[in-house]
Amino acid sequence: MTTDQRIAGIELGGTKVVCGIANGDGEVLERTSIATRGPEETLGDTRAWLEPRLGNASGLGIASFGPIHVDPASPRYGRIGATPKTAWQGFDLLRALRDWTELPMALDTDVNAAALAEIRWGAARGHQNVVYVTVGTGIGGGIVSNGRPVHGLMHPEIGHMKPRRLPEDDFDGTCPFHGDCFEGLAAGPAIAARWGKPLNELPADHPAFAMEADYLGQLAVNLLLTASPTKLIFGGGVMNCTELLPMIREAAARHLNGYLDLGDLSTGSGELIVTPGLESNAGLLGAVALVIDAS
Amino acid sequence: MTTDQRIAGIELGGTKVVCGIANGDGEVLERTSIATRGPEETLGDTRAWLEPRLGNASGLGIASFGPIHVDPASPRYGRIGATPKTAWQGFDLLRALRDWTELPMALDTDVNAAALAEIRWGAARGHQNVVYVTVGTGIGGGIVSNGRPVHGLMHPEIGHMKPRRLPEDDFDGTCPFHGDCFEGLAAGPAIAARWGKPLNELPADHPAFAMEADYLGQLAVNLLLTASPTKLIFGGGVMNCTELLPMIREAAARHLNGYLDLGDLSTGSGELIVTPGLESNAGLLGAVALVIDAS
């Protein structure tokens, strides 16, 4: 891989598609952003921008919202699964893209891809066991173990675990499948529905912050106790409220209650739970990292 | 690896040590069981049995209760971490064994090792993404992702996540760190403390069964949503109550509420959540599998 190489990437998100061209050093050369609607309109606009730029590219990476079938051995490889975004349910994303180009393609979830990009170029350089959480219109997470993204029956869908409810919180939750799972209680739409405003329009001493930090702290604990990451990255729109990160660390430490002996490890909790190094390019560069890892 | 090869294994559990000799096909040739007390007495008896049998062995595997430092690059490699078994806290297990023999050694948690053994010889043959849960004096779990055991900051400690409490359950929980985590609510000692008897002495229509199945079903869901295994194995003494397995499957499906589309996958939930193939040899053969994987 060199700085001369051109790799195309598509991050298909619930709100927007980010697509672009990067080089093999993870430098974004060109990018654009397209509103996510139904598959036809969204991919029509994406193709119009991307197709003329594919001539010099060596591959196309796709980092998609989930659930999506990511096992190349599955007959459903590249298809979107059961999602609240009904227009996309069952859509064969990979087949659609193969109509555009014969470039080699690599596919994973947006969050698995972002974790790989953060390892290669961002906040988790040199780490092999990393979790990347996004807290935005939903809550998703990618897990990399021993340097490789975690797949299996499907892929991680960490936002649908359930936290212990706070006694003062009687909100029903917004998840159509589970009501008050982490996503249903702590993603952007849940915050807006519970408090009438997004977090960034509430004052820093508003109880919404402590509640959000407690739920995300519980999520951090579940991830530390399963994936055992040495870097746990929290990104996504809600994390733009910079007050949250230290509050999440504190809540995670409170819930762990000394169990993992973090103080004695070289990665103390301050270094362990961090925000992304690549910011809004994490998904796009994740798509690019997938191509590099596959080649 | 052949049937001629002799590999020694030690499974260090909270109640007993199982040690033995197996061949490279996972056939146990000799084994014994020793009560776990403090390190000196326990390892003294273990050495007395094992040392005369090490002459023809090609390696020694150790599958230990956790937390234990399993990163070979760590200065604490092979030491027991913060455990309620206070006599063992900080004990340098690997150094103690190196006084006995110069054989190559391989070390992991009992449950990571058991997952590897179930992949190699048991209920998860051919699978690459497997979780092995033990429900006994504690609740622990091993995770194998892409064929390799999950490590990182430490190793999985899944029993210390917290379930959603059942409204009819006001038991405080037995975990000295977290009170009512999965281990504190659903391991053997919690069942005995809550109901006055172990599960196998209660009638099959006793409410203890539905409660136990609900908590273990929630645990199964957390594991499916993080590690995404294609085999999720529940072993340990409590699982000797054979009524539990189908109840756990049902509870897991109820809590997932259709989210992972399990019915459409080749591994339906009946095949997905299973009991161990190696039964009481899983830990010992796990220790043996560690040696084979390392060689």
Side-chain angles (χ1 to χ4, degrees), chain A residues 214-240:
Chain A
D214 190 273
Y215 288 137
L216 297 181
Q218 289 190 52
L219 178 58
V221 167
N222 280 9
L223 294 167
L224 292 170
L225 293 172
T226 49
S228 202
T230 53
K231 283 285 176 192
L232 172 50
I233 302 170
F234 275 85
V238 171
M239 293 304 296
N240 289 335

Side-chain angles (χ1 to χ4, degrees), chain B residues 69-124:
Chain B
H69 294 273
V70 291
D71 175 4
S74 161
R76 298 174 167 230
Y77 181 52
R79 269 183 200 262
I80 309 278
T83 164
K85 306 178 225 335
T86 47
W88 290 85
Q89 204 159 311
F91 182 74
D92 194 334
L93 178 61
L94 206 58
R95 175 174 298 181
L97 300 179
R98 283 190 174 136
D99 283 345
W100 306 2
T101 173
E102 292 182 348
L103 282 179
M105 294 190 195
L107 167 80
D108 210 322
T109 62
D110 46 2
V111 279
N112 266 349
L116 290 172
E118 291 288 340
I119 289 172
R120 193 174 274 277
W121 300 299

Side-chain angles (χ1 to χ4, degrees), chain A residues 115-266:
Chain A
L116 289 171
E118 291 288 340
I119 288 172
R120 195 173 273 277
W121 300 300
R125 283 184 217 209
H127 290 257
Q128 294 284 303
N129 299 287
V130 172
V131 177
Y132 181 97
V133 178
T134 179
V135 187
T137 51
I139 294 183
I143 303 179
V144 172
S145 176
N146 292 307
R148 295 178 58 192
V150 169
H151 301 149
L153 186 63
M154 183 58 93
H155 48 69
E157 281 286 343
I158 63 160
H160 296 275
M161 293 191 282
K162 289 193 174 183
R164 194 65 66 86
R165 293 294 297 260
L166 289 175
E168 68 272 26
D169 181 24
D170 59 3
F171 181 62
D172 284 340
T174 62
C175 176
F177 289 92
H178 311 111
D180 60 353
C181 59
F182 283 107
E183 178 168 300
L185 289 175
I191 298 170
R194 188 194 280 109
W195 304 107
K197 285 183 179 180
L199 205 59
N200 63 5
E201 294 179 17
L202 294 168
D205 59 353
H206 192 281
F209 282 88
M211 183 178 288
E212 184 71 10
D214 190 273
Y215 288 137
L216 297 181
Q218 289 190 52
L219 178 58
V221 167
N222 280 9
L223 294 167
L224 292 170
L225 293 172
T226 49
S228 202
T230 53
K231 283 285 176 192
L232 172 50
I233 302 170
F234 275 85
V238 171
M239 293 304 296
N240 289 335
C241 297
T242 54
E243 299 91 336
L244 266 182
L245 182 69
M247 294 174 77
I248 293 169
R249 290 172 175 162
E250 190 183 84
R254 189 173 68 245
H255 286 289
L256 267 179
N257 196 25
Y259 188 62
L260 283 183
D261 213 11
L262 297 185
D264 287 335
L265 293 163
S266 58

Side-chain angles (χ1 to χ4, degrees), chain A residues 40-87:
Chain A
E40 197 169 335
E41 299 151 284
T42 309
L43 292 182
D45 289 353
T46 305
R47 181 176 189 166
W49 188 87
L50 198 60
E51 202 169 25
R53 292 171 167 85
L54 291 177
N56 297 320
S58 60
L60 172 61
I62 305 108
S64 173
F65 64 74
I68 183 166
H69 294 274
V70 291
D71 175 5
S74 162
R76 299 175 167 229
Y77 180 52
R79 269 183 200 262
I80 309 279
T83 163
K85 306 178 225 336
T86 48

